[in-house]
Structure formats: structure tokens, C-alpha cells
Amino acid sequence: MNITVSAPGKLMLLGEHAVVYGRPCIVAAVNERLSVTIEEIDEGKIIIDAPQVKDTRFVDAAIKTWGDGRGLRISTKSTFSGKYGLGSSSAVTVATLKALKPSVDNRTLFDAAYRIVFDIQGKGSGFDVAAAVYGGILYFVTGGKIIEQMKIDSLPLVVGYSGVKADTVTLIEQVVQKKKENPQKVERIFDAIAKLVEEAKANMLESDWERVGKLMDFNQEYLRDLGVSSDKLEQLISAAKSAGAYGAKLSGAGGGDCMICLVSEDKRKAVEKVIQEVGGEVVDITANAEGVRVEQ
Ligand code: PMV
């Protein structure tokens, strides 16, 4: 047996943090992929060659789940750098599981991969796992209670990397603390985020990017209130808006990684330019990529 499976990375569009607490979010699979090749070798032997994956516990756990004691050589390749926070852990978990059991259906795959990621990280909504499995642009509720494919052709997106690696687990923990200190306020913020996610969902289906941009701005204000933004992200976000973006926000846990904004095509170049001028790196990425797939 020799099989290669690839899974896409992801970008959170709206609803981060609130989605850890039962609210919805909107996530996009991106056109950068991580692939896993599995070859059967002598029984009992496991060889893992995964230079792009900083934590091989995800691969180990996938083998434990569906490896059935087979001897395996597993190697990974990725078209994206782990530094951007595009979800290499969930992509490698999903791709490895699918390579071990190619006939698995998406729901079973999601559940198995989410269990692995949750057990290792101890936290997380599973939105990244859903993007890797299903692809496209998803309306997603915590733990996969709802996973709904949104019919959107393309997203006028610009992505800027802040140059700072974010630590998702630490930021989730910060929000836990904030919620302990001020539960009512934080619950109110989560409810407000949930509301704007619902509105954005409807506006995205109508390609009303101007309105979705405004909702991104509101979402960013709430994330700032939660204390997960950073000076660098704020700098990139206000630069993008000053160059005419419809709206801009951080994407993911915050503290670093990437910011995203929506732009009209005539403003795209100007927005990219100012992001670079304030020290950001424009990441060449498109949303709405295909979910996990067997390559050969
Ligand atoms: O940092 P990222 O891109 O993995 O995003 C984390 C998003 C959170 O909502 C904070 C956590 C989660 O699992 O939903």
C-alpha cells in the first residue's frame, strides 16, 4: 500500500474565541495544503518523517487510532509554512487518518480527528479540523454541532502576517481568566459576536462585502475588548482600513499570526502595499479550497 492524502489549511473569518463557548464561527479552507504519504513496511515498525509538523503527537495519535498495528512509513509535505498559523496540526491529523482509512465518511473523520486534536491541546472548538475535512467556507458551531457548507464562489480577501507567532492555547487561557474575572461582560461579548456571525453569514451569501467588512470591524472591537489583539495586529488592521479595505480584523487566537481584510479589487494593490509598509507580510492565499482528498 502506498497512498497520499492532502488536507487544506484554514483561516478563521469571524467568531474566534466565542466559538470555544458554544457560539458559531465562519471558517475558510485555504489553497495551501499539507500532504501525507503512507507506505506499508515491516510489521511493527513506524517511521515518521514530518519536518513541517512541529509536533508529531498528532501523527502518533492518528496511527494509534486507525493504524491497526501495521508497519508504516509516514512522510509529510506542505505548501505552507507552519509560521502563519494556518492549521498544520489539524491538517496533518485529518490527512493521516484519511490515509489510514480512505473510505471513511467525513463525519466519522471529523469526530476522530477532533478527538485527537482536543486530547492533545486540551482545548479548541474543532473549527480547524472541520476546514481540513470539509473544505470550502463553513458555518461552524463548537465541536461540530453544526457544520454547514456556505455557497460562496470567492472571497475578496487580503491576508497579512504580523511576523509574530501566536500561541493559541495561551490566548484561549487568557480568555478563560478574563471570563472568570468578569463573566457577565465576557458572555455579553460572546453573544454580540454570535449575532454578528449570523448577520455576516447572510451577507456573505449575498456577496455584500461592504457589510461583511463592517461586521469584521465590529468583531475586531470585541476581540480587542477580550484582550487578544496586539499592537502589531492593530497597526496592520488600521493601515489596511486607511487604504480603503471594507473592514479588517485579526484571524484566529490573536496575539500575532495573521490579520485579514476584505477589499474591492481596485483597492487590493494599495491595501497590500500599506500592510507591507507597516512591517506586515502579505500572504498569497485564496479561500474556499477543497477539503481532504486522496491524491494517489
Ligand atoms: O489560532 P488559531 O488560528 O488556531 O485559532 C484559534 C481560534 C479559537 O477560537 C481561539 C480557538 C478555537 O479552537 O476555536
Side-chain angles (χ1 to χ4, degrees), residues 47-68:
I47 301 169
I48 300 175
D49 174 22
Q52 300 83 10
V53 184
K54 58 180 188 310
D55 190 341
T56 54
R57 281 183 300 168
F58 296 94
V59 177
D60 293 335
I63 296 167
K64 217 179 238 158
T65 308
W66 285 342
D68 305 324

Side-chain angles (χ1 to χ4, degrees), residues 261-274:
C261 56
L262 294 180
V263 296
S264 57
E265 281 317 304
D266 59 318
K267 298 271 167 58
R268 178 177 290 275
K269 283 264 159 331
V271 170
E272 290 180 348
K273 186 159 170 275
V274 293

Side-chain angles (χ1 to χ4, degrees), residues 21-232:
Y21 298 85
R23 273 67 164 196
C25 74
I26 298 175
V27 55
V30 299
N31 63 335
E32 300 287 344
R33 304 184 78 83
L34 185 143
S35 64
V36 172
T37 298
I38 294 190
E39 197 188 324
E40 275 197 37
I41 56 170
D42 294 347
E43 208 162 307
K45 253 197 187 166
I46 301 283
I47 301 169
I48 300 175
D49 174 22
Q52 300 83 10
V53 184
K54 58 180 188 310
D55 190 341
T56 54
R57 281 183 300 168
F58 296 94
V59 177
D60 293 335
I63 296 167
K64 217 179 238 158
T65 308
W66 285 342
D68 305 324
R70 289 174 279 177
L72 302 166
R73 175 179 292 123
I74 297 178
S75 48
T76 66
K77 272 205 187 109
S78 173
T79 61
F80 59 94
S81 158
K83 76 175 184 183
Y84 298 126
L86 294 176
S88 48
S89 304
S90 43
V92 79
T93 308
V94 166
T96 307
L97 284 173
K98 178 81 177 173
L100 291 167
K101 205 188 256 196
S103 61
V104 68
D105 65 274
N106 279 349
R107 184 70 220 194
T108 309
L109 178 58
F110 170 83
D111 288 338
Y114 179 45
R115 199 167 316 121
I116 288 173
V117 172
F118 194 88
D119 283 350
I120 292 174
Q121 292 178 341
K123 302 181 166 55
S125 65
F127 80 105
D128 43 1
V129 176
V133 172
Y134 294 88
I137 296 175
L138 303 172
Y139 171 87
F140 176 88
V141 178
T142 328
K145 278 188 206 81
I146 302 176
I147 304 175
E148 212 176 286
Q149 195 71 248
M150 290 169 62
K151 285 200 174 53
I152 292 164
D153 288 338
S154 66
L155 206 64
L157 192 68
V158 172
V159 182
Y161 176 60
S162 66
V164 181
K165 186 83 208 83
D167 180 7
T168 303
V169 172
T170 306
L171 281 141
I172 294 179
E173 202 48 50
Q174 269 180 34
V175 174
V176 170
Q177 282 312 322
K178 185 122 193 155
K179 194 163 171 291
K180 269 191 196 141
E181 286 156 22
N182 207 335
Q184 277 103 347
K185 181 181 168 198
V186 172
E187 284 294 334
R188 266 203 309 277
I189 291 176
F190 289 160
D191 284 341
I193 291 175
K195 206 161 159 240
L196 71 83
V197 166
E198 296 298 343
E199 197 183 334
K201 182 187 178 197
N203 295 139
M204 283 173 80
L205 293 170
E206 289 161 5
S207 302
D208 185 351
W209 305 123
E210 198 170 341
R211 181 64 193 158
V212 179
K214 261 269 136 309
L215 293 166
M216 282 186 168
D217 289 345
F218 295 148
N219 197 163
Q220 177 60 22
E221 279 174 36
Y222 292 124
L223 290 165
R224 204 177 296 137
D225 286 351
L226 286 175
V228 297
S229 194
S230 72
D231 291 347
K232 190 77 224 173

Side-chain angles (χ1 to χ4, degrees), residues 10 12 16-17 19-20 85 124-128 168 172 251-254 257:
K10 54 77 186 143
M12 177 68 94
E16 49 272 268
H17 288 290
V19 68
V20 178
S125 65
F127 80 105
D128 43 1
T168 303
I172 294 179
S251 170
D257 281 349

